[in-house]
Structures are given as structure tokens and as C-alpha cells.
Amino acid sequence: MSSQHLPSLNLIRVFEVAARRMSFKDAAEELFVSPPAVSHQIKILEENLGVALFKRENRKISLTGDGKRYYLHVKRGLDLINSATLAVRKEKKKRRFIINTLPNIASLILFPNIHEFQAKHPELNIQIDSDVSRIDLENSEATVAIRHECGTEPELTYHPLVKIALTPICHRSYLEQHPGIKKGDFSNCRLIKISGDTYQWPRWQTEWNLLPDTPNEIVVSTVQASIEAVKNNIGVAMGYLPTSYQFMQNDDELVLPLADMVTAHGECFLAYRNNNADDEVIMAFHEWLVAVIAEEWSDK
């Protein structure tokens, strides 16, 4: 056998037991083979490595210097393999609970709080799949989905979570620099739009008859990015209620200059397959999610 090849795991395992038990006979008993078989395997390993691992004296064995060093490395490696195997088996026993959700809800609600639900359900292997695209829940691996707008799929159940509305949000100092905003005058203001939802501003402005003549705007990729732009006095963003309340709790310099001018913008729902309607874990997740939304997105 060429020394360029790694010895088989079986040879290494035989060596580890023999070195630990310091007896080919005892190793044979542990491995359910004969002592000559153990001795033969050790010889093959020694030939593979090109070194002697054991001293054989009057039916007694002891490790050589090379054998001692090799044993330390082998034991460490087998311990790692055993730990990895146990971890994989443990995870395999857990139930996968995959949550497909909108990025905004993932970052604001799930990521900061999901450890609480996990603590109540340690038997779950929870995975959060954040995506703006609407997946085919019936044919996907996802357990539940959090969606903006209720679908009409007959095989899915939808539970309303929270109504979403629109109203502008800006920094207090930006409002002081542009006081006309309080009257709906956005002249000389920069409007911050979100690339995946650019119609939110026109929708709100149309309802309140506040379409600007010469709009100055900047487009960002996410709701969080729009809020960061607001914090840096870049302009006025369209705030989503009730999520804006959470941003305002974290930064009291953020304000809603036209809080009475609110436009409905749909509703978020929890969706799952009809055949999971009696699933206790899904019901528990629904109850937990409603409670977290009520706590995080309250106007307090």
C-alpha cells in the first residue's frame, strides 16, 4: 500500500482502541474481532505509515515515540468525528420549521426575537428564509409564510396579522429645515423611495392630492436603508405603519409630520397549508408572532 494514501478509518479505529487499552486482546474484545486480527491490522497501518507504532515485548505492548504522537492526533481527530456525528444525529431528530418571510419582518420582528420562540420549542430546527418574492408554499419546504396581501389558493389558510398603512417619516431637524412639510408642501424636499415599492409615494400623494410638480428623489433598496437615509437628513421617506413606531422607539428624533394623513397599504398574513391546520407548533408560532408584533409595533 502506498504511503501517499491515507490509511482507512477502520485501521485508525483499531489503532486508537489498541493504544487506549494497551492490549491487543482487550482491543479485540471491544471491537468483536480476534487478537490476531487486531495485530494484523496494526501491522498494515505501520507499513502504511512507514513507522513502528508499538513495541511488542513478552505479550505486552507499549507505544513507541511515534506511536504516542500519532495517538494524540488520532484521538483528537476521532473525538471531532464523534462530536460531529452526534450533532448531525441530534439535528436530524429535530423538526425543521422553515419561515418564509418578507425582509422587513425578518429584520424587525423575527431576527431580534426568534430566540424566545426557539427557547419554548427546543425540538425545532428553525430556519428563516427572507425573500421579497412570493414562493409556492404548497410545493416548497417552507412550513409557514408571512405575506403582504391575502392569496386565493384553496389549499392554503391565511391568518391576518397586522394592517399596514402609509404616512411620511422624517428627522426632526429636517422638518425644522422644511416646515412646509407639515402642510403637505414637499417643494425643495428630497423624497426617499424603496426600489421594490416605488408606488407607495404616488399612492399616498394621490389620495391626499399632494403630487409634487418637480419631485427630487433618491431610491434605496430596503425599508431599513430608507430609515438610515432619514436619520442622515437626506430627505423624507414614506413610513410604513405600524413598523415606523419601532423605528421611532429606537430614535426619538424621527417624527411623523402628517400623522393624520394615513393611507391603507394592505395587510400582512400568516399562511400555511390546510393540512397543517391542527398543527400545535404552527398555532403556537402564530400566537407568539401576534404577541411580538403587538409589543414591537405599538404606538407607545
Side-chain angles (χ1 to χ4, degrees):
M1 185 179 294
S2 172
S3 60
Q4 296 299 314
H5 296 90
L6 288 174
S8 71
L9 186 59
N10 183 56
L11 292 179
I12 292 174
R13 177 60 176 157
V14 171
F15 167 71
E16 188 276 332
V17 176
R20 173 164 44 82
R21 303 294 293 267
M22 206 54 67
S23 165
F24 289 171
K25 180 181 178 182
D26 292 346
E29 290 179 359
E30 182 173 327
L31 295 168
F32 299 103
V33 296
S34 66
V38 170
S39 179
H40 179 66
Q41 294 282 68
I42 296 298
K43 285 181 181 179
I44 292 176
L45 180 60
E46 288 176 325
E47 290 175 2
N48 179 281
L49 297 174
V51 298
L53 298 172
F54 288 97
K55 296 177 184 177
R56 298 164 176 83
E57 300 173 351
N58 300 324
R59 297 184 180 181
K60 291 184 178 181
I61 60 172
S62 60
L63 286 168
T64 63
D66 288 330
K68 290 177 181 178
R69 286 188 290 273
Y70 193 56
Y71 174 66
L72 290 176
H73 293 300
V74 162
K75 186 177 185 306
R76 188 179 301 116
L78 289 176
D79 286 345
L80 287 172
I81 292 173
N82 287 335
S83 297
T85 302
L86 289 173
V88 167
R89 285 174 176 167
K90 185 177 180 182
E91 286 299 313
K92 186 178 179 181
K93 292 178 181 177
K94 289 187 174 184
R95 171 186 170 182
R96 292 180 73 199
F97 193 86
I98 304 175
I99 307 164
N100 176 261
T101 181
L102 299 166
N104 194 29
I105 291 180
S107 59
L108 293 177
I109 293 295
L110 295 183
F111 291 148
N113 299 291
I114 196 64
H115 64 279
E116 298 172 359
F117 185 73
Q118 177 73 82
K120 294 178 181 178
H121 297 275
E123 78 282 3
L124 298 180
N125 180 7
I126 298 175
Q127 177 181 328
I128 299 175
D129 179 16
S130 173
D131 197 344
V132 255
S133 61
R134 197 177 181 91
I135 64 165
D136 179 4
L137 183 57
E138 177 65 14
N139 298 307
S140 77
E141 293 184 344
T143 312
V144 297
I146 301 172
R147 294 177 165 175
H148 183 221
E149 296 181 356
C150 184
T152 58
E153 305 94 330
E155 68 276 7
L156 298 183
T157 296
Y158 281 82
H159 282 295
L161 294 173
V162 61
K163 292 184 182 297
I164 305 298
L166 302 173
T167 193
I169 184 170
C170 66
H171 196 276
R172 195 181 303 278
S173 63
Y174 195 86
L175 182 59
E176 292 173 356
Q177 297 163 14
H178 304 82
I181 293 176
K182 289 184 178 181
K183 298 178 181 179
D185 179 7
F186 292 94
S187 57
N188 300 318
C189 293
R190 180 180 289 109
L191 305 187
I192 303 167
K193 295 186 176 181
I194 301 167
S195 58
D197 192 9
T198 53
Y199 60 86
Q200 23 120 336
W201 265 106
R203 184 173 185 173
W204 180 86
Q205 291 168 320
T206 299
E207 177 171 344
W208 299 103
N209 195 28
L210 294 173
L211 286 171
D213 294 329
T214 54
N216 178 9
E217 63 182 49
I218 182 173
V219 179
V220 296
S221 58
T222 64
V223 173
Q224 284 72 18
S226 73
I227 296 299
E228 287 304 313
V230 166
K231 289 180 179 180
N232 285 283
N233 260 1
I234 290 176
V236 186
M238 184 53 66
Y240 294 81
L241 298 179
T243 61
S244 289
Y245 297 138
Q246 185 174 359
F247 292 123
M248 293 167 69
Q249 289 171 28
N250 297 329
D251 188 338
D252 58 10
E253 290 297 303
L254 299 182
V255 295
L256 304 179
L258 297 162
D260 294 333
M261 301 172 71
V262 175
T263 297
H265 191 58
E267 188 170 7
C268 282
F269 294 82
L270 178 69
Y272 53 82
R273 301 172 190 86
N274 292 341
N275 56 12
N276 288 332
D278 296 325
D279 190 307
E280 293 183 358
V281 175
I282 292 178
M283 296 303 102
F285 177 74
H286 177 216
E287 183 179 343
W288 172 82
L289 183 59
V290 169
V292 173
I293 288 175
E295 173 66 22
E296 296 287 351
W297 289 352
S298 65
D299 180 14
K300 57 184 179 181

